[in-house]
Amino acid sequence: QKEVEQNSGPLSVPEGAIASLNCTYSDRGSQSFFWYRQYSGKSPELIMSIYSNGDKEDGRFTAQLNKASQYVSLLIRDSQPSDSATYLCAVIAETSYDKVIFGPGTSLSVIP
Amino acid sequence: NAGVTQTPKFRILKIGQSMTLQCAQDMNHNYMYWYRQDPGMGLKLIYYSVGAGITDKGEVPNGYNVSRSTTEDFPLRLELAAPSQTSVYFCASSYAPLAVGGAYNEQFFGPGTRLTVL
């Protein structure tokens, strides 16, 4: 069973701080990685996708991928109360071109 | 564009009843997906489709059936509902395979159907 693990949280950070969300995955052959944000009672929305080792930045968000360590993270700089949500890590395994495996999510609370 | 639409928003079923969850998209996406999300958990893939007439199983297909007769519609059928199927069901679509990088692989989600089986 291919798995994606995340700290369940809740993670609390003060407004303006950096929030760091972590994700590990078990399938060493995984090639595609995604971070979704899900507000309570709403559907997930894509924040970032990353395919290569290293960092990928988009505004206040930075995704970091380390395939050797089977680790992907999401950094949120200058955290805002509107960033309070559950963040889902998702991975596509090497042999499953379209099947996305989601982690359980990390709940983030940004305190004003 | 309406994006991805799902009906109904809420439904309560009795054990053993059947129902169809409707999903439609107007973005001309080839790929469509059904997920379920249990409380405090991530999403699990039930079935997906890469185009009209083509469907395949995901992680948790037991107790469900799908069909894809048109590009726009991807209904999910629950036969003989069980309490274990109490969940929030999300339909999603994408233009290209999710494993393909670029601007066309974003997965768009519908608003969800909250199903309770008693």
Side-chain angles (χ1 to χ4, degrees):
Chain A
Q1 176 70 23
K2 300 176 175 58
E3 293 183 351
V4 177
E5 297 182 351
Q6 299 179 249
N7 292 334
S8 60
L11 174 66
S12 292
V13 299
E15 184 174 355
I18 296 175
S20 178
L21 303 161
N22 303 319
C23 173
T24 58
Y25 58 94
S26 61
D27 184 359
R28 184 170 290 278
S30 298
Q31 299 293 329
S32 308
F33 307 87
F34 307 88
W35 281 101
Y36 288 84
R37 177 176 62 201
Q38 186 176 26
Y39 292 113
S40 180
K42 302 295 185 183
S43 54
E45 53 181 336
L46 182 68
I47 300 175
M48 299 275 289
S49 57
I50 186 167
Y51 303 90
S52 303
N53 278 329
D55 295 358
K56 179 181 179 183
E57 187 174 319
D58 184 359
R60 295 187 295 110
F61 299 95
T62 299
Q64 299 175 317
L65 175 60
N66 184 327
K67 291 183 180 178
S69 299
Q70 296 176 238
Y71 175 93
V72 57
S73 66
L74 180 70
L75 300 179
I76 307 175
R77 290 182 300 281
D78 188 24
S79 296
Q80 301 297 310
S82 59
D83 294 326
S84 298
T86 295
Y87 290 80
L88 301 168
C89 173
V91 174
I92 296 182
E94 180 181 30
T95 57
S96 303
Y97 197 57
D98 298 296
K99 297 181 184 179
V100 183
I101 307 296
F102 280 84
T106 297
S107 175
L108 172 66
S109 180
V110 180
I111 311 301
Chain B
N1 286 350
V4 181
T5 58
Q6 292 183 240
T7 56
K9 286 187 170 59
F10 304 93
R11 183 73 185 266
I12 297 175
L13 282 181
K14 294 182 179 179
I15 294 172
Q17 287 185 319
S18 300
M19 75 164 294
T20 298
L21 281 66
Q22 301 291 344
C23 173
Q25 52 88 12
D26 62 358
M27 297 174 282
N28 200 31
H29 285 175
N30 295 313
Y31 294 77
M32 296 188 74
Y33 314 83
W34 272 107
Y35 295 92
R36 60 175 287 172
Q37 186 175 32
D38 298 333
M41 304 294 289
L43 283 74
K44 291 194 181 298
L45 183 65
I46 305 171
Y47 272 96
Y48 70 103
S49 169
V50 302
I54 307 171
T55 62
D56 202 355
K57 297 178 180 179
E59 285 181 272
V60 290
N62 291 343
Y64 307 95
N65 279 299
V66 293
S67 59
R68 183 99 181 268
S69 57
T70 66
T71 299
E72 294 78 20
D73 300 299
F74 190 39
L76 177 72
R77 178 80 176 164
L78 277 71
E79 304 282 2
L80 298 175
S84 61
Q85 293 177 305
T86 294
S87 190
V88 179
Y89 291 83
F90 289 104
C91 179
S93 72
S94 65
Y95 182 76
L98 299 179
V100 174
Y104 297 105
N105 71 332
E106 181 173 352
Q107 191 172 196
F108 294 88
F109 284 83
T113 294
R114 187 174 298 274
L115 176 67
T116 302
V117 181
L118 299 175

